[in-house]
Amino acid sequence: MKYETKILTTKYQKPDAYGALSMPVYYTAAFEFPSAKAMSDAFCGRSMAPSYSRIANPTTSYLEERVRQVTGAVSVTALNTGMAAIAYALTAVSGVGLNIVASKHLFGNSVSLIRDTLGSLGVESRFADFTDVAEVERLIDDNTCALFFEVITNPQLFVADIRTLANIAHQTGVPLIADTTVVPFSAFRASELGVDIEVISSTKYISGGGTGLGGLIIDYGKFDWTQSPSPSLNARIKKVGKKLAFTARIKTELITNLGALMTPQVAYMETLGLDTLDIRYRRQAGTTLWLAQQCQQLPEIRSVNYTGLEDNAFYELSKTQFDNLPGAVFTIDLDSKEACFNFIDQLQIVRRATNLFDRKSLAIHPASTIFGLFSDKQREEMGVSENTVRISVGLEDGEDLLADIKQALSV
């Protein structure tokens, strides 16, 4: 079955007593068991029955199963935020004395997570330009526990060669972990290009309207974890095998001990979001391409950055990996920071807000907000300019959005 059919036909774990067409919200902390043995089996992982909603909840499990079915993954874990998904995935593979080779063109909090939070726990960070595969390769050694990058960086919109990175990673026995938030799995098959672990902020396209915070970890079960230098993963191989050690650590240790499982209320809303994900994405990305093309004709704009534009440096690679619709976000560069602020202040339809891929279009000045606590030198090294405005395109009419951009530039 194609994506649209499969996402709408995933069965519930158990038949609903009333035949509900939408998965009910199991708004409960605990579950009653028929016997002491059944309770013991649930808590010790000998059965799939939920034991406590901090560990598993039927509504959340249904969201995970729907994503697993359409991606072909061996497991999916739904968490409270996209940052939680990144933190869990990197924590699962790392340890004292190990290092993560990461893109230097990451979202600001991803950088500080790796550099500061994991760094304080004894994990070394090694940042590289992931569009330069030779630089990445030079940083890998026997203690490298992961390569981590964004498939399209935010807000620089750089594109790495995923297949080449996967070849390098796998030749050296390192898992490739990718943040694929910018292009959803309905339109992009990360596993086919060699990604081992996919992390996603489901707050974005899947939520579809900024209705709740969420994150997903997708494990494709293809990496041989006997190659990992992580003692925690190696300890699980005897129990679950060399393909499932990562999932086992996530599901049986980190979920239980760190407590960030997605709530059933958010899981329900994101389950609804999955129903219309592909059609919304194609509408938004199509409008983004058209709008970026139109903005190239406006004299007030110094440059337009979108990898779907034919004159973009990443156009050919982007088209190979993401087809003709590489995400629903583009950036424009104006003459100065002051010009950016004035433009944003004059917008009437596009909202002044953070987040990406809401139903509503959003504008933000990345250098002074999501990268506002970094120094000028750090922002320069990360390719974040103070002349850049990021525009996330929603479901409004493209002509209306263009008119709003024009009037904001003319004031």
Side-chain angles (χ1 to χ4, degrees):
M1 289 186 289
K2 297 293 191 297
Y3 171 87
E4 296 88 341
T5 307
K6 188 177 289 187
I7 201 69
L8 290 167
T9 54
T10 303
K11 296 184 181 300
Y12 302 157
Q13 298 94 310
K14 291 184 178 182
D16 178 66
Y18 298 96
L21 286 178
S22 292
M23 179 66 171
V25 181
Y26 285 86
Y27 194 7
T28 181
F31 304 86
E32 186 175 9
F33 295 91
S35 67
K37 183 180 185 305
M39 185 183 296
S40 175
D41 288 344
F43 272 85
C44 296
R46 292 187 293 270
S47 79
M48 297 302 292
S51 56
Y52 190 61
S53 281
R54 175 169 57 81
I55 301 169
N57 178 280
T59 310
T60 306
S61 297
Y62 181 58
L63 171 67
E64 294 172 339
E65 179 59 16
R66 292 186 86 189
V67 175
R68 193 191 70 79
Q69 290 277 355
V70 297
T71 59
V74 299
S75 77
V76 175
T77 303
L79 299 166
N80 276 334
T81 66
M83 280 307 305
I86 296 170
Y88 273 52
L90 295 181
T91 298
V93 300
S94 62
V96 176
L98 304 182
N99 67 75
I100 296 170
V101 177
S103 170
K104 67 179 182 181
H105 303 119
L106 293 175
F107 174 64
N109 289 118
S110 297
V111 173
S112 58
L113 166 70
I114 297 168
R115 183 192 62 201
D116 303 330
T117 307
L118 293 178
S120 69
L121 300 175
V123 181
E124 180 188 355
S125 55
R126 299 179 178 181
F127 292 101
D129 180 354
F130 268 50
T131 65
D132 182 348
V133 293
E135 181 181 344
V136 174
E137 195 167 17
R138 284 195 299 270
L139 294 178
I140 299 172
D141 63 21
D142 291 342
N143 290 321
T144 301
C145 60
L147 298 188
F148 177 68
F149 72 113
E150 297 170 2
V151 293
I152 300 180
T153 67
N154 168 28
Q156 308 90 344
L157 304 184
F158 296 160
V159 180
D161 187 328
I162 301 171
R163 197 179 298 279
T164 299
L165 287 172
N167 289 337
I168 291 170
H170 299 155
Q171 287 169 8
T172 54
V174 177
L176 186 64
I177 303 178
D179 183 336
T180 65
T181 297
V182 174
V183 184
F185 46 71
S186 64
F188 165 59
R189 298 297 185 185
S191 178
E192 293 177 4
L193 294 177
V195 172
D196 298 300
I197 306 294
E198 190 172 358
V199 292
I200 299 170
S201 173
S202 56
T203 308
K204 311 302 192 292
Y205 292 117
I206 296 174
S207 167
T211 53
L213 299 174
L216 300 175
I217 301 174
I218 302 176
D219 179 5
Y220 288 102
K222 294 183 176 181
F223 189 76
D224 178 355
W225 294 103
T226 60
Q227 301 177 87
S228 172
S230 167
S232 297
L233 291 175
N234 286 320
R236 286 166 171 76
I237 291 171
K238 290 182 180 180
K239 292 183 178 181
V240 299
K242 62 184 181 180
K243 299 291 187 180
L244 295 176
F246 174 87
T247 281
R249 190 174 190 202
I250 293 285
K251 296 286 190 182
T252 64
E253 178 189 338
L254 301 186
I255 285 290
T256 303
N257 293 348
L258 299 181
L261 188 73
M262 183 183 287
T263 64
Q265 300 93 322
V266 171
Y268 173 76
M269 291 186 286
E270 295 201 353
T271 296
L272 297 181
L274 283 174
D275 293 348
T276 59
L277 168 63
D278 193 57
I279 192 168
R280 282 187 288 103
Y281 172 68
R282 295 185 185 281
R283 163 70 183 269
Q284 288 175 264
T287 302
T288 303
L289 175 59
W290 179 84
L291 201 56
Q293 291 169 335
Q294 300 306 307
C295 284
Q296 285 184 309
Q297 311 305 315
L298 302 179
E300 299 90 345
I301 296 176
R302 288 171 51 183
S303 64
V304 179
N305 187 11
Y306 181 62
T307 66
L309 296 172
E310 292 186 10
D311 61 353
N312 188 279
F314 297 103
Y315 173 75
E316 292 297 337
L317 178 59
S318 178
K319 185 176 181 180
T320 299
Q321 296 181 160
F322 314 116
D323 202 6
N324 294 316
L325 298 175
V329 61
F330 73 104
T331 66
I332 60 173
D333 272 22
L334 302 180
D335 289 331
S336 64
K337 176 182 176 180
E338 291 70 29
C340 292
F341 273 40
N342 183 67
F343 167 75
I344 292 172
D345 288 347
Q346 302 306 320
L347 291 168
Q348 297 176 9
I349 295 175
V350 180
R351 313 299 179 95
R352 289 171 287 277
T354 189
N355 200 17
L356 288 166
F357 318 130
D358 196 311
R359 293 185 182 95
K360 304 174 183 68
S361 293
L362 312 172
I364 194 170
H365 182 252
S368 65
T369 53
I370 53 181
F371 293 89
L373 297 179
F374 289 83
S375 68
D376 291 343
K377 181 180 179 182
Q378 288 173 323
R379 284 194 292 269
E380 182 179 357
E381 291 173 347
M382 297 165 74
V384 178
S385 169
E386 67 173 12
N387 296 339
T388 299
V389 175
R390 187 189 76 187
I391 300 174
S392 171
V393 178
L395 292 172
E396 303 94 343
D397 180 79
E399 294 279 2
D400 291 336
L401 292 174
L402 180 60
D404 191 30
I405 290 171
K406 286 181 176 179
Q407 69 79 26
L409 288 168
S410 66
V411 176

